[in-house]
Each structure stands twice: as structure tokens, then as C-alpha cells.
């Protein structure tokens, strides 16, 4: 068990470019979550997957954002036509379906995005 | 909607001082409550949790009691150490409905402990 892995750790891009982040959850974890954290704030929920199905999306997830989890393993979060307001830390978490909905989410170290 | 409010920081203490970080919540159902800690350069780590009223979560000398009557989950530690310096987040999860599975976080409280 190597924990939740996120890549890259840092991404600097110019406004208008597309970026993609990857999250590798703890093996055998059915659920995967994406959150966004801006400076001085707590993480805000973006979306979550149970296996390969995307079951919930926040209104924060505009049409420029898309997330996938093919085959129910790793996940990618893509932001198209980035804006300066997208600058934030993007966090991924995973949890096991066993134990019910109040199970523990394990977080990766995050990808810090800076849009210039 | 559901929300979590934490005491404003930052909090600065001397080593061995008593710590309290206040957390209150608003929820439409019956949430589970959590404290997560974020050390510099690291991901969020679960510190402790409580799943029903009057439960006490504890870990590493930290404690928090789920108080339904006051909708609170205050974090306490009797004697802090320099290594406790971090950002602390209070959070909740609801069961059922459309909020199923997502964490709702407070804004975080920065704790700095001086020797």
C-alpha cells in the first residue's frame, strides 16, 4: 500500500492552455474523489467516482473541467482553456466501499496548479 | 446547505500549552465528523473521527467529542508539541441523499507551536 499518488506535484501553465492531472488511488479502493483547495481555505468537493462511474459532480465543476476514471483504477482531471481563477491545489482522495458511506478518505499530496 | 465553521486562526502556542480549536457544523442529516491535519508539504491525514452523538474520537493525544446539542466537535490537546504545528481541518460527511460520500470542510486553522 503506497498511498494515493498524484502527478505532477506542480504545474505552471499559461492562461488558455489545457492541463491534465493524474491520480492513482490506493489499490482496491472503489471510490475516488477530487477536491480543490485555494489558499487559506478548506478543500471543496469537485466530483467522485465509484469504480468507473462518476456519481456526483459539484456545481464548481464547470464545463471546462472533465474527469474520468477508465477501468475504475487511476483517474484524470482535465481543465481546458485554463483561467487564472483555476490556480489552486487539486487534491485526490480514495476510500473503500466496504464499511459504508462514512468510511475514511485517504488523500494524496495534491497537484498545485499556477495559471499565469 | 451543509457547512463547517472553524475558529479563525492562526493559533500560536508555547510548547506544553493546552490547545482548543473550535468547530461547529450545520447539517440537514446526521453527519459523521472528522478532524484532518495537513503538515507542510504533505497531504491531508485523518487525525480522528466520530460517527454519532456523544462519541469521542482520539488519536496522538488529541480528542474531540461529537456534541449534537451544540452541533460542535471541538479539538483539544492537553500539551502541544512543536511537531503539532500544522493546519487542522474540521469536516463532515452525510449519509444518504445527494451528498453521499463527499467531505465538507471548514476553512482550516493554522497552529504554530514554539519551543
Amino acid at each position: 500500500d503506497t498511498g494515493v499518488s498524484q502527478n505532477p506535484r506542480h504545474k505552471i501553465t499559461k492562461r488558455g492552455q489545457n492541463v491534465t492531472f493524474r491520480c492513482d488511488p490506493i489499490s482496491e479502493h472503489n471510490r475516488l474523489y477530487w477536491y480543490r483547495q485555494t489558499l487559506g481555505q478548506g478543500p471543496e468537493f469537485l466530483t467522485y467516482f465509484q469504480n468507473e462511474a462518476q456519481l456526483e459532480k459539484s456545481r464548481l465543476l464547470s464545463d471546462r473541467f472533465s474527469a474520468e476514471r477508465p477501468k475504475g483504477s487511476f483517474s484524470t482531471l482535465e481543465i481546458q482553456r485554463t483561467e487564472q481563477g483555476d490556480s489552486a491545489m487539486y487534491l485526490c482522495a480514495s476510500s473503500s466501499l466496504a464499511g459504508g458511506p462514512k468510511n475514511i478518505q485517504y488523500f494524496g499530496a495534491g497537484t498545485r496548479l499556477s495559471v499565469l | 446547505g451543509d457547512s463547517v465553521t472553524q475558529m479563525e486562526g492562526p493559533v500560536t502556542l508555547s510548547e506544553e500549552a493546552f490547545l482548543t480549536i473550535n468547530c461547529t457544523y450545520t447539517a440537514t442529516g446526521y453527519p459523521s465528523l472528522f478532524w484532518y491535519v495537513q503538515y507542510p508539504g504533505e497531504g491531508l491525514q485523518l487525525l480522528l473521527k466520530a460517527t454519532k452523538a456523544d462519541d469521542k474520537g482520539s488519536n496522538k493525544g488529541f480528542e474531540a467529542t461529537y456534541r449534537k446539542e451544540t452541533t460542535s466537535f471541538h479539538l483539544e490537546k492537553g500539551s502541544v508539541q512543536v511537531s503539532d504545528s500544522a493546519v487542522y481541518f474540521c469536516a463532515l460527511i452525510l449519509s444518504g441523499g445527494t451528498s453521499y460520500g463527499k467531505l465538507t470542510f471548514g476553512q482550516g486553522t493554522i497552529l504554530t507551536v514554539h519551543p
Side-chain angles (χ1 to χ4, degrees):
Chain A
D1 181 356
T2 58
V4 178
S5 176
Q6 292 189 245
N7 288 288
R9 291 293 306 275
H10 304 276
K11 179 69 177 179
I12 300 174
T13 191
K14 293 183 179 179
R15 187 176 54 186
Q17 297 295 305
N18 298 345
V19 294
T20 300
F21 312 140
R22 177 178 170 124
C23 171
D24 288 273
I26 294 171
S27 58
E28 299 176 357
H29 274 191
N30 314 85
R31 293 181 173 175
L32 187 146
Y33 309 79
W34 285 99
Y35 294 84
R36 182 172 69 186
Q37 184 179 15
T38 53
L39 198 61
Q41 300 297 317
E44 295 176 292
F45 170 79
L46 291 178
T47 189
Y48 104 91
F49 293 83
Q50 184 166 306
N51 298 314
E52 67 278 5
Q54 188 174 19
L55 295 186
E56 188 174 354
K57 292 193 292 185
S58 163
R59 58 181 169 75
L60 294 175
L61 212 66
S62 76
D63 56 5
R64 296 185 297 106
F65 288 69
S66 62
E68 295 182 343
R69 194 184 182 197
K71 304 179 183 178
S73 55
F74 71 92
S75 176
T76 58
L77 177 67
E78 181 183 16
I79 308 175
Q80 295 182 326
R81 305 181 303 281
T82 52
E83 302 173 354
Q84 289 185 327
D86 297 331
S87 296
M89 178 76 85
Y90 290 85
L91 300 171
C92 177
S94 69
S95 67
S96 172
L97 187 58
K102 299 176 182 179
N103 49 11
I104 297 169
Q105 294 182 26
Y106 295 85
F107 283 80
T111 294
R112 181 170 296 283
L113 173 65
S114 297
V115 181
L116 305 178
Chain B
D2 307 318
S3 65
V4 176
T5 302
Q6 292 181 229
M7 66 182 289
E8 292 187 11
V11 175
T12 303
L13 296 172
S14 297
E15 206 165 26
E16 300 184 2
F18 184 85
L19 169 71
T20 300
I21 301 178
N22 290 339
C23 171
T24 58
Y25 68 89
T26 302
T28 53
Y30 299 96
S32 287
L33 301 174
F34 304 81
W35 277 99
Y36 276 83
V37 59
Q38 189 173 34
Y39 298 102
E42 298 184 15
L44 288 162
Q45 301 174 25
L46 179 68
L47 181 59
L48 52 84
K49 67 181 177 73
T51 58
K52 60 183 187 297
D54 299 325
D55 270 1
K56 177 185 284 188
S58 61
N59 185 28
K60 299 181 181 180
F62 291 90
E63 293 183 339
T65 301
Y66 189 141
R67 301 290 188 196
K68 185 179 178 182
E69 64 275 15
T70 55
T71 62
S72 65
F73 192 55
H74 304 320
L75 182 68
E76 297 182 337
K77 186 175 185 182
S79 177
V80 294
Q81 305 300 312
V82 172
S83 57
D84 294 326
S85 298
V87 185
Y88 292 82
F89 293 94
C90 186
L92 65 82
I93 276 184
L94 291 180
S95 61
T98 59
S99 299
Y100 194 87
K102 74 174 186 181
L103 281 162
T104 298
F105 286 89
Q107 74 271 32
T109 301
I110 300 172
L111 170 66
T112 302
V113 180
H114 293 297

